[in-house]
Amino acid sequence: MTIRLNSLGPLKINTTVLPIVSGSLALGTVQEPSEHSGQLFPTLQLIRGQIPQLTAQIPFRAAYDLIGFTALDVTACEIYYARYTDADDAGAQGIKSTGTDHTYFDLATDAGALAVITGVSVAQDGLLLADIQVTFRAPDATTHPLVKNTDGTLPTLSTQPVIHTMGPVQLQGTVYDGIQDWSLDLAQVVEPVRTDGDLYPTTVLYRGGTPSFSVTTNNIQDTLANLDLIGETAASSIFYARQHDTTTGIVVGGATAISMTVARGVITYDTVDAAQQDLASAPLTITPVAAPATADTHPVVVSTGATAP
């Protein structure tokens, strides 16, 4: 028996092909067993509907250029799984097929979605990656928002994606040493709405978020000296990521870095951690807040052409 094998393929949102590192398509089946009358085991499994959602990790620059830190209306989405050749194919086996035989999902007619970045993370010697979430909406109550296909041609990226790695962190205008990693949880609130017994959501709402940065530093001496126990203002706090040259792969300087700036907010640390034969660390939390007059504007300001200190 021939086994059909597939692996990760590209992701296309609207007209943009994205460089995807990993992904998971969850169909989100809403179900429960039917139990009654003192029975030991259910006699029926009830399917109420589905709330399909895609999550994926993508190099930050590609995700941010397309989606930003709010929500993107998605009118086209193609999720590919690249097929390997097998015994039924002419030529070599076990290589990625060049034909029109790849599995992919796309949107049903008049279906759509909302896409958001849910988080950003980077560590020493790691990639600056964005976690994205795509929540699908159906064209009507009984039509699935996704269509599955087995006759796809893989789309290609036109250029090398811009890749970034960790850079320094500036808190209250001072660059801190000893940073091992930093991340941003955007805590985006996306609400798919099903009513009237609908099988699938026909509306998806974006309700904003409560972002917060987390930083791990081994330099607890300076951290404890500079920050009050109760916390301090986060004004003039900037998180940097350095860019790799798209030809040589070497980390470059100049106005090529990513920066994420917090103008208002607070810095706190809740623990100081240490263990036998390990370095002590102080995890920091930086919570940005928007200005009252511009509360619909995201409180984290991103630059894609910054100069890292």
Side-chain angles (χ1 to χ4, degrees):
M1 181 178 68
T2 301
I3 301 175
R4 305 293 189 196
L5 299 176
N6 296 74
S7 65
L8 184 70
L11 171 64
K12 187 176 182 180
I13 295 180
N14 291 341
T15 60
T16 302
V17 180
L18 295 167
I20 179 172
V21 175
S22 63
S24 176
L25 176 61
L27 294 175
T29 303
V30 181
Q31 59 182 315
E32 64 174 318
S34 174
E35 299 175 281
H36 57 85
S37 308
Q39 296 170 338
L40 293 180
F41 307 104
T43 56
L44 190 65
Q45 186 72 7
L46 307 176
I47 306 296
R48 309 288 193 194
Q50 286 188 332
I51 306 173
Q53 192 173 79
L54 171 71
T55 56
Q57 275 200 318
I58 292 171
F60 174 78
R61 178 65 187 271
Y64 183 79
D65 284 350
L66 178 64
I67 301 172
F69 274 170
T70 53
L72 172 71
D73 182 49
V74 176
T75 57
C77 183
E78 298 171 7
I79 309 160
Y80 286 87
Y81 300 90
R83 177 178 174 266
Y84 287 99
T85 57
D86 53 47
D88 291 342
D89 297 298
Q93 297 182 35
I95 61 174
K96 188 166 67 173
S97 172
T98 58
T100 56
D101 51 6
H102 299 279
T103 295
Y104 73 103
F105 294 84
D106 65 352
L107 292 180
T109 302
D110 295 328
L114 277 185
V116 296
I117 296 175
T118 58
V120 182
S121 60
V122 67
Q124 180 66 36
D125 299 325
L127 296 178
L128 180 69
L129 295 176
D131 296 310
I132 74 164
Q133 173 184 290
V134 183
T135 304
F136 299 98
R137 62 177 181 267
D140 57 65
T142 59
T143 301
H144 202 288
L146 295 174
V147 177
K148 55 184 179 179
N149 310 273
T150 57
D151 58 352
T153 300
L154 296 179
T156 57
L157 290 164
S158 58
T159 59
Q160 165 63 39
V162 180
I163 304 296
H164 294 80
T165 189
M166 200 173 81
V169 173
Q170 174 182 304
L171 301 177
Q172 301 173 313
T174 299
V175 176
Y176 273 53
D177 298 322
I179 304 298
Q180 290 297 315
D181 59 66
W182 61 262
S183 61
L184 169 61
D185 180 4
L186 290 162
Q188 305 272 37
V189 180
V190 176
E191 181 183 351
V193 179
R194 294 165 60 238
T195 61
D196 307 310
D198 293 351
L199 291 177
Y200 311 107
T202 54
T203 302
V204 179
L205 305 177
Y206 174 66
R207 298 195 180 278
T210 53
S212 64
F213 287 91
S214 296
V215 179
T216 301
T217 175
N218 292 137
N219 185 5
I220 69 166
Q221 191 83 8
D222 291 340
T223 300
L224 299 181
N226 293 335
L227 297 177
D228 286 342
L229 292 175
I230 194 63
E232 293 197 13
T233 177
S236 300
S237 294
I238 307 175
F239 299 79
Y240 291 95
R242 302 185 192 277
Q243 182 182 315
H244 289 271
D245 186 271
T246 56
T247 301
T248 66
I250 298 171
V251 174
V252 295
T256 60
I258 297 288
S259 69
M260 301 184 193
T261 300
V262 177
R264 302 177 76 250
V266 295
I267 305 172
T268 58
Y269 63 93
D270 292 327
T271 63
V272 180
D273 304 321
Q276 181 68 22
Q277 297 183 350
D278 200 1
L279 295 174
S281 64
L284 307 177
T285 300
I286 296 87
T287 307
V289 294
T294 56
D296 287 340
T297 300
H298 203 280
V300 178
V301 178
V302 176
S303 170
T304 58
T307 301

